[in-house]
Amino acid sequence: MTALHATSTCSLPHLALKPREILPHESSDYLWRVEQGLVRTCTWDEDGDLVTLGLWGPGDCIGRRFSNMTPFEMESLCNVEVQAIPVFNQDLVEVMRSHIRCMETLFRINSYKRSPQRLLIFLQWLSNRFGQPVKHGQLIDLGLTHQLFAEITGINRITATRLLNELERAGKIKQLPKQRIILPSPTS
């Protein structure tokens, strides 16, 4: 727990994490609720390649108990705040449905054979799930690097950068400083 900062506003922990820090596995009595930021749940295949299992934002509940994968990690992708919440206060069926929907969506996205289509559909999903409306479309302000886009969509970083630039030239996205992207609205 090198850079984790726990505060004791109640008997359950509240943690603030910096990008790329790992959430500790919760006890059997609680789950982590994301209050701010973006968390990736992941594992690795037999070749050591990272496999993203889900992306979770504010209001989502996450925890080791939802996966049989070994290894399993919950990684902050930006500055993240999580609050432990008691399991008995949660509607676990709804939390499980949320996890299944996210994994199904990522599975569907990664089933596209063509990388440009896969990346664009992933950006559209991010926009719908985590985007903020702006004048000319939806802003994705998650601080995701080209490397993270590559890891999540199963392409390499060089291809991710090339495809993002191609999508921008085609007018399908607009890249902004600080790793922000706008997906133009259909009427823009």
Side-chain angles (χ1 to χ4, degrees), residues 145-160:
T145 64
H146 293 188
Q147 180 63 40
L148 283 169
F149 284 127
E151 289 173 1
I152 294 168
T153 60
I155 56 181
N156 66 51
R157 197 231 12 108
I158 294 168
T159 301

Side-chain angles (χ1 to χ4, degrees), residues 89-107:
N89 285 344
Q90 286 305 299
D91 178 0
L92 289 179
V93 171
E94 188 52 41
V95 172
M96 289 299 297
R97 284 184 183 135
S98 170
H99 280 247
I100 290 167
R101 282 190 298 269
C102 181
M103 289 187 290
E104 285 176 336
T105 300
L106 290 174
F107 182 75

Side-chain angles (χ1 to χ4, degrees), residues 70-184:
T70 302
F72 175 86
E73 282 188 353
M74 298 173 285
E75 174 190 28
S76 62
L77 296 180
C78 56
N79 290 328
V80 167
E81 290 186 22
V82 293
Q83 174 69 51
I85 55 169
V87 170
F88 58 84
N89 285 344
Q90 286 305 299
D91 178 0
L92 289 179
V93 171
E94 188 52 41
V95 172
M96 289 299 297
R97 284 184 183 135
S98 170
H99 280 247
I100 290 167
R101 282 190 298 269
C102 181
M103 289 187 290
E104 285 176 336
T105 300
L106 290 174
F107 182 75
R108 182 182 55 81
I109 289 167
N110 282 317
S111 72
Y112 284 92
K113 303 289 184 245
R114 297 185 56 233
S115 299
Q117 185 180 25
R118 186 179 333 142
L119 183 58
L120 181 59
I121 290 171
F122 176 64
L123 290 170
Q124 290 168 341
W125 177 74
L126 282 177
S127 170
N128 292 334
R129 176 101 162 78
F130 302 108
Q132 305 161 11
V134 293
K135 184 177 180 181
H136 298 292
Q138 285 284 107
L139 173 67
I140 301 171
D141 188 9
L142 301 171
L144 298 180
T145 64
H146 293 188
Q147 180 63 40
L148 283 169
F149 284 127
E151 289 173 1
I152 294 168
T153 60
I155 56 181
N156 66 51
R157 197 231 12 108
I158 294 168
T159 301
T161 298
R162 179 180 54 79
L163 292 175
L164 287 166
N165 291 333
E166 287 176 9
L167 289 170
E168 184 167 36
R169 281 192 298 277
K172 295 182 179 180
I173 67 169
K174 177 157 181 54
Q175 297 183 82
L176 303 172
K178 299 183 182 179
Q179 300 161 330
R180 296 175 302 154
I181 294 176
I182 292 180
L183 268 74

